[in-house]
Amino acid sequence: MTGFFRVFLLGFYFYSYLVSCSILRETIPSRPLNDGSISVLLKIDKNAREEFEKVTSWEIPYTFIEKDHSYAVIQREKLKVYGFPKEGINIAKGMPFKYYSGNYQDSLSESIFALADIKKGYKDNILNSHYLFWVHRLFPKHSQYKIIGKSARGREIPAILLTDSNIPDEDKISVLFNCAHHSNEVVSVEHCYDVIYELLAHKKKYNDLFAKLKIWVVPIVNPDGSRVFWHENMSMGRKNGYPGWGQVTEKDNPGVDINRNYPFFWGKTKSNQTSSVSNSVFFRGPYPGSEPETQAMMNLAEKERFAASISYHAFANCILVPYTIDGTSNPEPDLVWNLGKRIASSVESKNPNHNFSAKKNIYGVDGVDQDYYFFKYGTLAYLIESSHLNPPYSDVPKIVESLRPAWTILLEEIADGSKLYFKIKDEQGNPIVANIKYDKILFYHGEIRTSRKEDGMFFQSFPGIRGIKLKVEKEGYETVNWEGTTWRSWKALDIVLRKKTPAQ
């Protein structure tokens, strides 16, 4: 990456951050960070702190304090009013996100944990691990702390599993919420934490969901990107930062865009939003599934067979419905669009310039997680673009509240909507991996639906579809023909496959 492009990218991210603040001001009243104008970060020498506080009358809070310097975000138009820059008070450039956050140091220093702490500020990979661990300690009967894998640089990828531990997992179905494939989109993490907070703060209200579902939340899929964005350079963090691909000596923008690295349609589009060039911000990796972060999510999906999922990003203010990749065709009848539109209509947009809507995509992509889950398992897999990019944290509560109906509707659909729910076994009661072939659903990309090897479970949500005709097939076993309607009750139907006799 050239020096010019790196400076340009840093400027673009920070400008987007500030524009996001500007848009938000028109919709959500709150104590403003910059009143909609472009702001800058000041670096204040320790000997100039007293003058800074006197000149600004304590109206400009510090966002980060070090031994020799303090930092504060200020409106550019007020620089002349206060007479900045001046000796000991200068504009800081190229600083990582922790200097802008305004609450990071306070959050790190907290020694007593309460659930409300997860709503106090933005989170890097350090705080994320800390919070998930203590959420489990605080709610041991309704949560489990999990490590689903490690990043390219060896950092753990933590997750939390929300479910009622007093009820066996045997008949539960899994749902996934994940955030920060692109860790420079820190507001995306807050949507994952909204799921955690709301479910645990209102356990009685959501008792039925805890009983029926295993709700997986992975707030930061890309911990290396989070580390880089927060602590090294705001122009990075979209990728995972691993310098293993391309030139070994490459230092500018190393790593892979994890959400271009999934196997489905990998590298098949000609969009400028996906690239085979290693120093591109959209580098899709040397081969599909090359990254340990991608592999961790794929392994989790294989194990859990998610019935539904939402991946959170920022900040196009829409819900993307699979298949999102150009050149792909959804199965017929389509299982995901009606639900996607219903979710979109439930969201009250906090972005006055763009209505929240359901879309196929916002630009050409390939190798994305939601399309992979939809292709591989029939997961009702959506991607939600938040309405703003990393605004002042005081505005985050209204943003996550406006998008909350998306995940609540999705969970309710899985728990109470029309479904097929089979347990496929042999005559001795052993689980079987069998193929489920629908009679009147057309697939265009070789999609295969199978039961899970561990327990023979097959679950598929069918929003708005009732009559189904299918075959359950396994080599060496008699085919079972099944015809009926989807159901809303939470009861699995046993299907027994019998071995073929030699004469058959």
Side-chain angles (χ1 to χ4, degrees):
M1 180 186 291
T2 65
F4 169 79
F5 184 66
R6 188 169 185 172
V7 171
F8 169 79
L9 192 62
L10 173 61
F12 169 76
Y13 283 132
F14 188 46
Y15 176 75
S16 299
Y17 162 71
L18 295 170
V19 168
S20 174
C21 300
S22 172
I23 293 172
L24 194 58
R25 299 288 155 241
E26 302 175 37
T27 316
I28 302 174
S30 63
R31 183 174 65 81
L33 175 68
N34 59 12
D35 289 328
S37 60
I38 300 299
S39 297
V40 296
L41 184 70
L42 289 179
K43 184 177 184 179
I44 303 114
D45 292 349
K46 64 179 180 180
N47 296 327
R49 283 187 60 177
E50 185 175 346
E51 181 180 1
F52 175 78
E53 294 158 4
K54 180 180 179 181
V55 170
T56 61
S57 300
W58 288 90
E59 293 179 358
I60 309 298
Y62 295 119
T63 57
F64 203 89
I65 298 175
E66 297 175 324
K67 179 180 179 181
D68 295 324
H69 299 94
S70 300
Y71 298 84
V73 175
I74 186 173
Q75 301 168 40
R76 184 180 291 277
E77 64 186 32
K78 287 191 175 182
L79 290 175
K80 290 184 179 180
V81 176
Y82 294 130
F84 303 144
K86 59 171 62 177
E87 185 177 355
I89 305 174
N90 296 289
I91 296 174
K93 298 180 179 180
M95 307 302 289
F97 187 73
K98 69 178 181 180
Y99 291 100
Y100 297 92
S101 176
N103 46 39
Y104 180 67
Q105 287 176 307
D106 292 338
S107 298
L108 278 180
S109 64
E110 290 279 359
S111 58
I112 300 175
F113 178 78
L115 183 62
D117 289 343
I118 68 177
K119 301 180 70 176
K120 287 184 176 180
Y122 286 122
K123 304 146 190 73
D124 69 343
N125 59 297
I126 299 171
L127 285 174
N128 179 52
S129 295
H130 174 75
Y131 286 153
L132 295 185
F133 174 79
W134 282 104
V135 164
H136 163 59
R137 292 292 297 271
L138 201 61
F139 298 93
K141 294 181 180 179
H142 291 84
S143 68
Q144 299 173 35
Y145 179 76
K146 301 285 189 178
I147 301 298
I148 66 169
K150 290 189 175 181
S151 69
R153 293 187 173 184
R155 291 187 174 90
E156 293 180 337
I157 305 173
I160 197 160
L161 171 57
L162 304 176
T163 193
D164 188 340
S165 298
N166 292 321
I167 298 176
D169 289 346
E170 181 180 348
D171 294 323
K172 292 177 182 174
I173 297 301
S174 297
V175 177
L176 171 67
F177 299 99
N178 73 78
C179 301
H181 270 78
H182 302 144
S183 287
N184 56 341
E185 299 165 357
V186 295
V187 71
S188 71
V189 177
E190 301 310 310
H191 292 288
C192 276
Y193 272 91
D194 184 57
V195 175
I196 296 170
Y197 180 86
E198 287 298 312
L199 289 177
L200 292 176
H202 306 98
K203 297 190 300 297
K204 290 184 179 180
K205 176 181 177 181
Y206 295 112
N207 183 60
D208 189 52
L209 297 181
F210 280 108
K212 294 178 177 177
L213 303 178
K214 295 167 65 180
I215 302 168
W216 285 84
V217 185
V218 187
I220 299 181
V221 175
N222 181 8
D224 291 348
S226 176
R227 173 67 187 180
V228 170
F229 180 74
W230 273 83
H231 300 275
E232 296 182 28
N233 196 317
M234 268 177 59
S235 69
M236 299 169 67
R238 178 184 176 90
K239 299 162 69 177
N240 64 358
Y242 182 64
W245 309 122
Q247 297 179 5
V248 175
T249 58
E250 179 187 312
K251 294 182 179 179
D252 289 334
N253 199 34
V256 171
D257 183 338
I258 299 169
N259 208 39
R260 301 292 185 272
N261 190 236
Y262 288 84
F264 183 67
F265 261 63
W266 181 89
K268 290 189 178 181
T269 65
K270 296 181 179 180
S271 167
N272 59 7
Q273 306 292 319
T274 177
S275 176
S276 61
V277 179
S278 62
N279 65 354
S280 166
V281 294
F282 306 111
F283 179 46
R284 57 180 170 257
Y287 54 87
S290 62
E291 303 310 290
E293 299 90 347
T294 315
Q295 295 164 18
M297 296 302 291
M298 291 170 59
N299 291 338
L300 183 64
E302 173 65 22
K303 174 178 175 287
E304 297 296 324
R305 301 293 182 94
F306 296 114
S309 72
I310 295 179
S311 300
Y312 286 96
H313 290 254
F315 63 119
N317 199 40
C318 59
I319 180 170
L320 302 186
V321 181
Y323 289 121
T324 65
I325 300 173
D326 292 334
T328 56
S329 298
N330 281 23
E332 296 179 13
D334 198 326
L335 302 182
V336 285
W337 264 99
N338 286 340
L339 180 58
K341 290 177 180 178
R342 179 152 62 92
I343 290 173
S345 66
S346 72
V347 172
E348 180 185 354
S349 174
K350 295 301 179 183
N351 187 321
N353 292 352
H354 302 282
N355 292 327
F356 192 89
S357 59
K359 299 180 179 181
K360 178 180 177 70
N361 59 32
I362 49 180
Y363 43 68
V365 294
D366 55 33
V368 295
D369 71 321
Q370 68 173 131
D371 282 11
Y372 173 77
Y373 301 143
F374 186 51
F375 164 77
K376 185 76 173 176
Y377 307 110
T379 305
L380 305 185
Y382 299 94
L383 184 150
I384 288 184
E385 291 268 348
S386 189
S387 56
H388 297 80
L389 178 64
N390 310 343
Y393 199 81
S394 57
D395 293 324
V396 167
K398 287 293 184 181
I399 294 173
V400 298
E401 181 183 3
S402 71
L403 288 168
R404 189 174 300 150
W407 64 261
T408 58
I409 289 173
L410 190 67
L411 291 180
E412 289 165 1
E413 180 65 38
I414 299 304
D416 301 322
S418 299
K419 62 181 73 69
L420 293 180
Y421 187 9
F422 299 139
K423 291 290 183 69
I424 303 173
K425 304 175 182 180
D426 63 16
E427 294 173 275
Q428 286 72 46
N430 300 311
I432 288 181
V433 178
N435 291 339
I436 290 82
K437 296 184 177 180
Y438 300 105
D439 184 47
K440 293 183 179 180
I441 295 182
L442 300 179
F443 293 103
Y444 297 97
H445 301 291
E447 294 93 331
I448 299 173
R449 301 289 177 252
T450 63
S451 54
R452 187 166 59 185
K453 65 179 180 179
E454 290 82 2
D455 54 10
M457 182 275 292
F458 177 79
F459 182 100
Q460 178 70 67
S461 181
F462 282 92
I465 298 177
R466 297 292 291 164
I468 297 290
K469 186 176 181 180
L470 56 80
K471 294 179 180 180
V472 182
E473 298 180 342
K474 170 77 173 179
E475 186 176 355
Y477 291 81
E478 297 178 11
T479 296
V480 171
N481 295 297
W482 186 90
E483 184 173 1
T485 61
T486 58
W487 59 90
R488 295 181 179 272
S489 66
W490 200 257
K491 183 175 176 58
L493 176 67
D494 289 332
I495 291 183
V496 178
L497 294 186
R498 293 175 171 80
K499 281 192 173 183
K500 292 181 177 179
T501 62
Q504 293 175 305

